Amino acid sequence: MIDLEKGQHGMVTQARVMTLGQWLGARLWRRPERLLLLVLLVLGGGVWLRHSEHPPDPGEQALEDAPVLPPVTALSALPELVVATRRAPGSYWTEPDGRTLGIEHDLALGLGALLGKPVHFLVLDDQEQVVRALRTGKAHFAAMPEGGKESAELGFMFTPPYYHSRFQVVFNALRQSAPHALADLAKEPLTLIHDLQMETQLQNLRTQVPALRWKWAPRGLREEDLLRQVYEGQVVYAVGASEEIALAQNDYPDLAVAFDIGRETPLAWAFPVGSSLLYEAALHFMEGFRNSGGLAQVVERYYGSVGALSHDDALEFLQKRVIRLPGLSPVFRTAERLSGLDWRLLAALSFQESRWNNQAVSPTGVRGLMMLTADTADRLGVKDRLDPNQAVPAAALYLAQIRNELPLSIGEPDRTWIALAAYNVGLAHVEDARRLARQRGLDDRTWNALRQTLPLLAEARYYEQVRHGFARGGEPVRLVENVRGYYDVLVHFESKSRAFHVGESHGPISSSPPM
């Protein structure tokens, strides 16, 4: 840097060579306010860089901002229920249009309805944050694993469990050889989402395998994101909850479970000691909800399609979603506008029927993308069953008609699943299965009941009791479960102007179907 020195009358007297640091120092020393400004800019830039490289953890920020709740002295004076939960596909999540879903979400709303209270969800990132929310009095209750010494040390009161889970080691079967025991994992650490009970179980197992190592996933990373990283090869081995892994395997079929870790873990609601009023109300709710069959319905709604798809079916579906679906989606979307049924549901049904092959022909004579019989095609006015532009809208209207003919007492999503079964086997046989459900003390308005009774229509001791006789009742059950699995994958990967998931109250429809 060259600094020109000036004399008394402003004339340049000499040129002096300076380093950049010397030049800045000389200028800032003459103008102290500039020095202060520079210091502030450096400090501000450092803060900005830290926040840009490490943005605040959403769960941690939500926990920090949440107020401490006053003690519950009377249920009538309680303004709302505050429930701590974590983001996870089976627990709690938000759809693109803002609707919230999940098994923990639905159960908490049920308790809120019983008490006549609105429910506020404190949405966190992992189980460790959920535990802290309860310990610091920022939530009234939360769902978490229960049982064993670690649960007793938490000092919480637990309701009876609503579900049972296991921790499992998961890996990508195409990228890694299968480990058969914990000792096989000594060379590669396990990656974990922050979970107190998971860590406790691993600490216990380390007494058997001293070389066992693990590391924590970054804060804010959800379990579904960790499983995706395993699938993509960013993580070699991870530990996750069995139900979350099973849900992810529909989307990532090469995810494989190596083995279970520790014992089966019951999931239950946890309440801080001292909240006996709410705890007693929760016990009353859970007992009534279980006895009424409501709990089984909620569990079936979110986990009913888990494991329905084989590895080969899921892999073929994902491949053809990329190759075949883009060319077919316009006809499915047209059918959605005509029928009111979610185009992704229609696409899932079509894949189950024909593998998206519009030239498909079965030995029994059904043909085309929707595998229509000749009689059904005639009734629907379809002249060419191999023409998707004729077959898909007609089949969609037919399914919507079946759905409309079901009793109004059947709610969603059961209404849609039962309509799919009737699409396959006929409404008459579905009514026979409903009659068998009533005879067995089951709720004939639910798909969970009919998936048990439809297969009975193939047995003489049962079909001889009903009006319409024999039916291959196992086939509609397989169809519905597979369609649900394919549909869940499409909901995950394919957008829709009005998003829907099977947990939504009104089912996989985009509008009321035309009359």
Side-chain angles (χ1 to χ4, degrees):
M1 180 69 65
I2 300 176
D3 186 35
L4 300 178
E5 293 187 356
K6 297 181 180 181
Q8 183 177 2
H9 302 289
M11 300 290 293
V12 176
T13 58
Q14 64 176 327
R16 183 160 53 95
V17 177
M18 306 174 65
T19 65
L20 177 61
Q22 289 172 331
W23 184 83
L24 285 172
R27 290 295 182 272
L28 293 174
W29 182 256
R30 297 171 190 168
R31 300 290 298 273
E33 67 275 12
R34 292 182 180 179
L35 178 61
L36 177 61
L37 178 61
L38 179 63
V39 171
L40 292 176
L41 286 172
V42 170
L43 291 176
V47 171
W48 179 84
L49 284 173
R50 284 198 303 274
H51 280 268
S52 62
E53 293 175 2
H54 304 286
D57 176 6
E60 197 67 38
Q61 190 66 55
L63 184 57
E64 181 180 339
D65 294 343
V68 176
L69 302 174
V72 179
T73 56
L75 293 179
S76 59
L78 187 66
E80 64 179 1
L81 286 176
V82 179
V83 185
T85 187
R86 62 188 181 90
R87 295 179 184 87
S91 301
Y92 181 100
W93 74 93
T94 304
E95 288 285 270
D97 63 359
R99 287 172 300 103
T100 49
L101 305 167
I103 189 169
E104 293 178 16
H105 168 273
D106 287 7
L107 290 176
L109 289 183
L111 177 60
L114 176 69
L115 298 177
K117 305 293 180 182
V119 179
H120 171 73
F121 292 94
L122 177 58
V123 184
L124 306 173
D125 295 316
D126 53 52
Q127 201 65 56
E128 189 270 337
Q129 290 177 354
V130 170
V131 170
R132 278 197 286 135
L134 284 189
R135 280 180 166 167
T136 56
K138 296 191 172 186
H140 291 122
F141 67 96
M144 65 176 63
E146 186 274 329
K149 180 181 177 182
E150 60 273 13
S151 292
E153 291 174 348
L154 292 175
F156 300 143
M157 303 181 293
F158 287 89
T159 64
Y162 62 85
Y163 194 74
H164 287 79
S165 176
R166 280 187 178 276
F167 294 126
Q168 296 177 321
V169 174
V170 65
F171 66 104
N172 186 319
L174 285 183
R175 298 174 180 270
Q176 305 294 332
S177 58
H180 301 291
L182 285 171
D184 297 339
L185 304 175
K187 294 182 180 180
E188 187 70 39
L190 296 166
T191 302
L192 318 176
I193 295 292
H194 288 258
D195 187 292
L196 177 62
Q197 191 163 69
M198 186 189 300
E199 182 182 21
T200 301
Q201 293 203 25
L202 288 172
Q203 292 284 10
N204 294 335
L205 291 171
R206 185 177 265 173
T207 60
Q208 306 169 27
V209 185
L212 181 65
R213 296 178 298 136
W214 59 85
K215 61 182 180 181
W216 297 113
R219 282 288 188 185
L221 189 74
R222 297 173 297 175
E223 191 160 338
E224 60 179 314
D225 297 325
L226 174 61
L227 295 174
R228 177 180 50 78
Q229 289 185 358
V230 174
Y231 175 75
E232 294 173 349
Q234 301 174 47
V235 172
V236 179
Y237 300 115
V239 177
S242 56
E243 68 276 10
E244 306 296 348
I245 293 171
L247 286 170
Q249 283 174 321
N250 280 351
D251 299 335
Y252 311 118
D254 293 322
L255 284 180
V257 173
F259 46 81
D260 295 343
I261 286 182
R263 60 184 180 276
E264 188 176 65
T265 303
L267 300 178
W269 278 346
F271 290 79
V273 173
S275 55
S276 57
L277 286 175
L278 270 179
Y279 178 68
E280 293 296 331
L283 290 177
H284 175 67
F285 164 75
M286 279 292 192
E287 181 181 9
F289 202 50
R290 189 185 303 275
N291 292 340
S292 69
L295 180 59
Q297 282 183 255
V298 171
V299 171
E300 197 280 333
R301 175 173 297 172
Y302 291 103
Y303 297 136
S305 62
V306 165
L309 302 182
S310 70
H311 171 273
D312 291 344
D313 285 343
L315 188 60
E316 181 185 5
F317 182 71
L318 288 171
Q319 291 170 342
K320 290 187 175 179
R321 184 188 72 84
V322 177
I323 298 169
R324 293 281 294 150
L325 185 58
L328 293 171
S329 62
V331 73
F332 292 128
R333 292 178 186 272
T334 297
E336 176 186 72
R337 289 192 292 272
L338 292 172
S339 67
L341 295 169
D342 188 334
W343 76 268
R344 296 169 297 186
L345 178 75
L346 299 172
L349 173 60
S350 175
F351 184 84
Q352 171 63 24
E353 294 283 53
S354 67
R355 285 326 200 234
W356 289 333
N357 176 12
N358 60 298
Q359 300 296 319
V361 179
S362 82
T364 59
V366 294
R367 310 182 74 184
L369 208 62
M370 305 304 289
M371 297 301 274
L372 299 175
T373 65
D375 289 343
T376 301
D378 288 342
R379 290 200 309 272
L380 298 174
V382 175
K383 296 180 179 180
D384 183 1
R385 288 179 283 167
L386 300 184
D387 181 0
N389 293 298
Q390 294 184 47
V392 174
L397 288 169
Y398 178 51
L399 178 59
Q401 178 185 348
I402 292 173
R403 184 183 167 280
N404 283 344
E405 291 177 4
L406 292 173
L408 294 177
S409 60
I410 299 176
E412 288 291 358
D414 301 87
R415 189 178 188 83
T416 295
W417 309 148
I418 295 172
L420 284 170
Y423 178 93
N424 175 267
V425 78
L427 267 173
H429 291 304
V430 165
E431 286 305 312
D432 286 344
R434 293 187 65 210
R435 178 182 176 183
L436 289 176
R438 291 191 295 271
Q439 291 175 355
R440 296 164 72 87
L442 302 173
D443 186 348
D444 69 322
R445 301 167 300 175
T446 67
W447 171 243
N448 195 35
L450 267 62
R451 74 196 299 193
Q452 300 175 54
T453 57
L454 274 166
L456 302 180
L457 297 177
E459 300 181 31
R461 56 178 174 155
Y462 294 107
Y463 69 69
E464 289 175 353
Q465 303 176 24
V466 295
R467 181 177 179 182
H468 300 95
F470 170 84
R472 294 183 178 88
E475 292 182 5
V477 173
R478 286 190 293 275
L479 177 138
V480 172
E481 297 310 302
N482 284 351
V483 169
R484 291 177 65 181
Y486 297 136
Y487 177 66
D488 281 348
V489 174
L490 291 180
V491 167
H492 184 97
F493 288 109
E494 299 289 338
S495 63
K496 185 174 183 292
S497 58
R498 185 173 180 275
F500 166 80
H501 191 276
V502 293
E504 188 177 359
S505 60
H506 53 68
I509 57 174
S510 58
S511 61
S512 298
M515 301 301 291

